[in-house]
Every structure is written in structure tokens, then in C-alpha cells.
Amino acid sequence: CSAWLYLLFLHLVRKEFGITHILSIALIWVAAFILYYYFSIKDHPLKTSMNAYWLAADGFCPANPFRMEFYNFIWEKTKMIFGSLLSSGFIGMYLLPVLILMGVAHLMVTKQSGLLLLLLLPVIIHFILSSLRLYPFDNRLILYTIPHLLIISLFGLSFFIERINIISSALVFKL
């Protein structure tokens, strides 16, 4: 879904792909989803009990962004990702979020919004599905977010290194 939305973005913004190409990819994706839904989700015997489990475990994102519960959920899941899943002490809890913010800013400033969209869209879609109580956002079910976040943090690290090089070059030039 994310890749298709990215291709649609490229079609709408940059006209890189024809509409028939986009529609054929959408058709394949919809067919795959229907098959997956029919064989894996529809009438699953544990659906009710798993929904109750994840609801009790605070695995579903509150749907209303105008309520404090929504931001508490985001904060708790952010702490889980950086404190537990990326358990690397100071680096994981404090430095990585800063590098990710720098990476997002760098991708936006360098007009690489398509890449940023491709990296963040799976997480955004997952939050939406979680808000609809279709798929929890918790523990092992969010491990796929780590490569996305690390890639964005590398853009932030690259941005930081570029700035250090510019500053050091300016200082050397003045000396």
C-alpha cells in the first residue's frame, strides 16, 4: 500500500509514471489484499479475543487527536521504540530521535519529500489502522519501523556531518 501511494505521489507530482501503470499496480495490490483478507482475517476464530487482549494491553491508538490520550499513546510508543526496541542506552533514547528529526528536516529542505513519504507512510498507515482497531501498534508488531527510523536518522547524521565539514572548512580557511 505504501509503495503504491508513493508511486501515485510520483505520478501526481512528477508525472514519472503513467496512470495505466499506477492502476495496474493498484489492481495487483487490491487482489493480493483480498486474498490475504479472505484466507487470513475473515472469520478468524481468535479475532474477538485478540481485539480484547490488545485493547486491554493499550495496543490501539486512540482515534481522536484532540484528546490527551492520543498524545500519551504516541509518547508511550515512542519511548517503547527508542527505549526498549532500540535499547542502546543514551544513543537509542536521546541521540536517535534528534537524528531522526534532523533527517526529516534534511529530507524536506532538500526536497526529497517522496523518499520521506515512502519511509513514513507505513508508520502513518499503521497508526490509522490502530486507530480503527484493526491492527495494534505495540511490541513485535512495530519492529518494521526500526529500519525506516534508522534510514531517516542516517540522513540526519549525514546532514550533521555536512554541517561539521562546512564549519571546520570555514575555520581552517580563516586560520
Side-chain angles (χ1 to χ4, degrees):
C1 180
S2 299
W4 180 80
L5 288 171
Y6 173 68
L7 291 174
L8 182 62
F9 168 80
L10 289 178
H11 169 73
L12 295 174
V13 173
R14 299 183 188 156
K15 306 293 185 217
E16 289 185 24
F17 296 97
I19 195 67
T20 56
H21 184 78
I22 300 295
L23 291 176
S24 63
I25 292 172
L27 183 63
I28 292 168
W29 182 83
V30 167
F33 178 78
I34 288 170
L35 287 172
Y36 173 73
Y37 176 80
Y38 182 76
F39 289 111
S40 298
I41 299 173
K42 182 180 180 282
D43 300 327
H44 193 279
L46 297 177
K47 183 178 180 180
T48 305
S49 61
M50 289 308 297
N51 271 348
Y53 170 80
W54 286 114
L55 191 59
D58 196 29
F60 293 118
C61 181
N64 189 348
F66 299 109
R67 303 209 25 126
M68 197 61 189
E69 292 85 22
F70 177 84
Y71 297 100
N72 287 338
F73 180 88
I74 301 293
W75 175 246
E76 290 302 317
K77 299 311 172 184
T78 301
K79 286 192 320 189
M80 179 195 332
I81 290 171
F82 293 110
S84 300
L85 298 178
L86 288 170
S87 58
S88 48
F90 176 81
I91 292 172
M93 194 64 184
Y94 301 105
L95 186 58
L96 274 174
V98 170
L99 289 175
I100 288 168
L101 291 174
M102 289 172 64
V104 168
H106 178 67
L107 289 169
M108 290 172 71
V109 166
T110 58
K111 295 184 174 46
Q112 297 183 57
S113 53
L115 180 58
L116 184 61
L117 181 69
L118 185 62
L119 290 168
L120 290 180
L121 211 52
V123 180
I124 293 167
I125 290 171
H126 194 155
F127 271 116
I128 292 168
L129 292 174
S130 179
S131 295
L132 298 171
R133 295 188 178 168
L134 296 174
Y135 197 75
F137 194 90
D138 200 45
N139 295 321
R140 64 181 167 75
L141 301 174
I142 59 173
L143 288 175
Y144 74 91
T145 62
I146 291 173
H148 295 261
L149 296 174
L150 290 177
I151 290 169
I152 294 171
S153 71
L154 289 174
F155 280 102
L157 182 61
S158 172
F159 175 75
F160 180 73
I161 291 171
E162 287 173 13
R163 296 299 162 247
I164 294 295
N165 286 340
I166 290 170
I167 292 169
S168 64
S169 294
L171 290 174
V172 168
F173 184 71
K174 286 184 179 181
L175 294 176

